[in-house]
Amino acid sequence: LQGSSNLNFNTSTNTLTITGRLSASVHISSSNFVGPGVNLTGVSKMDYTSSAANFAVLPAHSLLGINSSGSVVTASFGAANTYQPGQTFTFKDIEGSGSTNHIVIKPSGSQKIDGNSLVKIKANYGAVSIASDGASNFYIVSTS
């Protein structure tokens, strides 16, 4: 990393600070984002996580493959404000057991997913994508 007094990288916080005008062609690659960035933003990086047991939905997750062939599996969100506004998570039945052992997706506390206290994947190989509003609730973006 090269620069002048207008460019500073703090290694203890992993923060790049630029003072003044920036004109650059940027490609962002980090643990959470990858892609070209005009305003130093990028496309959410795909993070695949597979689970056959109940689990917490982490901010680093994006695509969650769930094996409910042995029993019902519950995915629990934290508070909506712990995720970025618009951050989307896709839950997928990867073993074709959703009709027998549903996959349950729960928001935190009294928060809701489209006004519901939980969402279930009840179709074999079914999927649902859910986004956080970054404040207090979650919304279904798509289902299959």
Side-chain angles (χ1 to χ4, degrees):
L1 183 64
Q2 296 179 358
S4 66
S5 61
N6 294 340
L7 180 65
N8 180 39
F9 185 76
N10 183 328
T11 56
S12 64
T13 61
N14 290 327
T15 303
L16 176 63
T17 304
I18 301 170
T19 305
R21 185 179 172 99
L22 173 66
S23 176
S25 174
V26 178
H27 179 87
I28 298 171
S29 182
S30 74
S31 60
N32 292 320
F33 294 96
V34 62
V38 174
N39 296 312
L40 298 185
T41 60
V43 177
S44 181
K45 181 179 177 183
M46 186 65 70
D47 178 57
Y48 176 77
T49 300
S50 179
S51 182
N54 296 342
F55 64 95
V57 180
L58 303 176
H61 289 152
S62 61
L63 176 59
L64 301 118
I66 302 169
N67 175 353
S68 64
S69 62
S71 66
V72 170
V73 175
T74 300
S76 299
F77 277 110
N81 66 1
T82 62
Y83 307 100
Q84 294 297 313
Q87 186 174 4
T88 303
F89 304 86
T90 299
F91 302 85
K92 171 74 175 153
D93 172 12
I94 60 172
E95 291 296 322
S97 303
S99 66
T100 305
N101 293 317
H102 302 324
I103 296 167
V104 178
I105 304 154
K106 294 174 44 175
S108 177
S110 64
Q111 294 181 350
K112 304 288 184 192
I113 301 173
D114 276 354
N116 297 300
S117 58
L118 58 87
V119 169
K120 292 182 181 181
I121 296 175
K122 299 191 274 186
N124 292 342
Y125 300 103
V128 63
S129 293
I130 297 174
S132 170
D133 68 2
S136 59
N137 288 293
F138 299 88
Y139 302 95
I140 295 174
V141 177
S142 67
T143 60
S144 70

